[in-house]
Amino acid sequence: MVDILHRIGVQTPTPEKVYEALTTVDRLAGWWTEDASGSGEVGGVLRFRFPPVGGFDMEVLESTPSKRVTWRVADGPAEWIGTTIDWDLRQDGDWTIVLFTHAGWREPVEFMHHCSTKWGSFLMSLKSSVETGEGAPAPRDVQISNWH
Amino acid sequence: MVDILHRIGVQTPTPEKVYEALTTVDRLAGWWTEDASGSGEVGGVLRFRFPPVGGFDMEVLESTPSKRVTWRVADGPAEWIGTTIDWDLRQDGDWTIVLFTHAGWREPVEFMHHCSTKWGSFLMSLKSSVETGEGAPAPRDVQISNWH
């Protein structure tokens, strides 16, 4: 089992806005994909689409305000199904620190390399969406390769 | 043992320029840190400094033109020493695909989360330095958090 790890700091006085950006559809649409729908409450399912490629359905396992959000991938690419995505938040002075873990990959396949870099890029989009109000969600996301 | 994985595609007709960007000091200074010195030949040591924080000494284990470059961390932060950094190159049409692996971390500590995101950001700088001639090496690198 191998994991994708990331860490960013968002300049904001409390974790509140970062938590909102992970749990409400309109804020998720501001940094990951404009085509986001569903419910960010525990037991709910969040649906993210990246036309024409496909997308992900995330079951919300945990949602503790300003502390932690955990998703389980219910549908999406075969390599993603059953993996978990964990967002750990804490405040450090003027920064909300986000520790990100996408756990449970079975093999370190080339697609996992791609997803790791792409997650890093989307985390920078999340940071920017909270700090400036302007992220880079799909289809306006940063292209990192021929796989987009 | 846990690894940091990344994948980017660089729009360039052959892997030559990407290989140069990983093996020659002046090109390394164009995307990672302006304070780069040493030798990129097998058996040589490349020195990267990020004043005032510190830096890394990389022993060059392999350097196969347009195919593969491998470094072993000889000096730097305790968590990095003895880890290996592997750059795998291949051409796919108009793209040079870079598969990156920073292997041999003992524990998935918070610093590893940070380094993963930071590597992703520097890989985008590498991509940009080859595609446009303009990267974002330290000290002009993209700030991702309070750890810089």
Side-chain angles (χ1 to χ4, degrees):
Chain A
M1 302 269 269
V2 276
D3 300 347
I4 294 172
L5 310 178
H6 284 293
R7 178 189 189 276
I8 56 164
V10 182
Q11 271 192 297
T12 180
T14 72
E16 206 170 307
K17 282 189 179 175
V18 177
Y19 180 73
E20 277 172 17
L22 298 172
T23 51
T24 62
V25 163
D26 59 325
R27 297 300 174 92
L28 284 156
W31 67 267
W32 198 17
T33 175
E34 290 179 357
D35 193 345
S37 62
S39 159
E41 291 180 20
V42 174
V45 173
L46 288 164
R47 290 175 202 87
F48 302 99
R49 295 293 176 269
F50 300 75
V53 181
F56 313 102
D57 285 0
M58 304 293 190
E59 185 189 344
V60 181
L61 297 186
E62 178 174 346
S63 188
T64 306
S66 298
K67 290 282 186 195
R68 194 189 189 107
V69 171
T70 306
W71 299 334
R72 194 183 66 85
V73 182
D75 204 0
E79 296 91 337
W80 280 53
I81 294 175
T83 60
T84 55
I85 293 159
D86 200 75
W87 307 85
D88 221 66
L89 312 182
R90 74 167 195 274
Q91 195 66 19
D92 185 356
D94 297 333
W95 299 83
T96 298
I97 304 302
V98 181
L99 279 189
F100 170 94
T101 307
H102 185 174
W105 288 76
R106 285 173 289 276
E107 298 288 340
V109 291
E110 184 164 348
F111 182 50
M112 184 177 173
H113 287 249
H114 166 77
C115 293
S116 175
T117 313
K118 200 74 193 176
W119 270 127
S121 181
F122 278 121
L123 282 159
M124 293 302 286
S125 169
L126 163 62
K127 171 178 166 65
S128 170
S129 78
V130 173
E131 289 178 348
T132 72
E134 194 65 47
R140 297 179 286 115
D141 52 325
V142 176
Q143 184 169 10
I144 65 167
S145 76
N146 56 339
W147 287 358
H148 203 100
Chain B
M1 302 272 268
V2 277
D3 300 347
I4 294 171
L5 310 178
H6 284 293
R7 178 189 189 276
I8 55 164
V10 182
Q11 271 193 296
T12 181
T14 72
E16 205 170 308
K17 282 190 179 176
V18 176
Y19 180 74
E20 277 172 17
L22 298 172
T23 51
T24 62
V25 163
D26 60 324
R27 296 300 174 92
L28 284 156
W31 66 267
W32 199 16
T33 175
E34 290 179 358
D35 192 345
S37 62
S39 159
E41 291 180 20
V42 174
V45 174
L46 288 164
R47 289 175 203 88
F48 303 98
R49 295 294 176 270
F50 300 76
V53 181
F56 312 103
D57 285 359
M58 304 293 190
E59 185 189 343
V60 181
L61 297 186
E62 179 173 346
S63 188
T64 305
S66 298
K67 290 283 187 194
R68 193 190 189 106
V69 171
T70 307
W71 300 332
R72 194 184 67 85
V73 182
D75 204 0
E79 296 91 337
W80 280 53
I81 293 175
T83 61
T84 55
I85 293 159
D86 202 74
W87 307 86
D88 221 66
L89 312 182
R90 73 166 196 274
Q91 195 65 20
D92 184 356
D94 297 332
W95 300 82
T96 298
I97 305 301
V98 181
L99 279 189
F100 170 94
T101 307
H102 184 174
W105 288 75
R106 284 173 290 274
E107 298 287 340
V109 291
E110 185 164 346
F111 181 51
M112 184 177 172
H113 287 249
H114 166 77
C115 293
S116 173
T117 314
K118 199 75 193 176
W119 269 128
S121 181
F122 278 122
L123 282 158
M124 293 303 286
S125 169
L126 163 63
K127 171 177 166 67
S128 171
S129 78
V130 172
E131 289 178 346
T132 73
E134 194 64 47
R140 298 179 286 115
D141 51 324
V142 177
Q143 184 169 11
I144 64 167
S145 76
N146 56 339
W147 287 357
H148 202 99

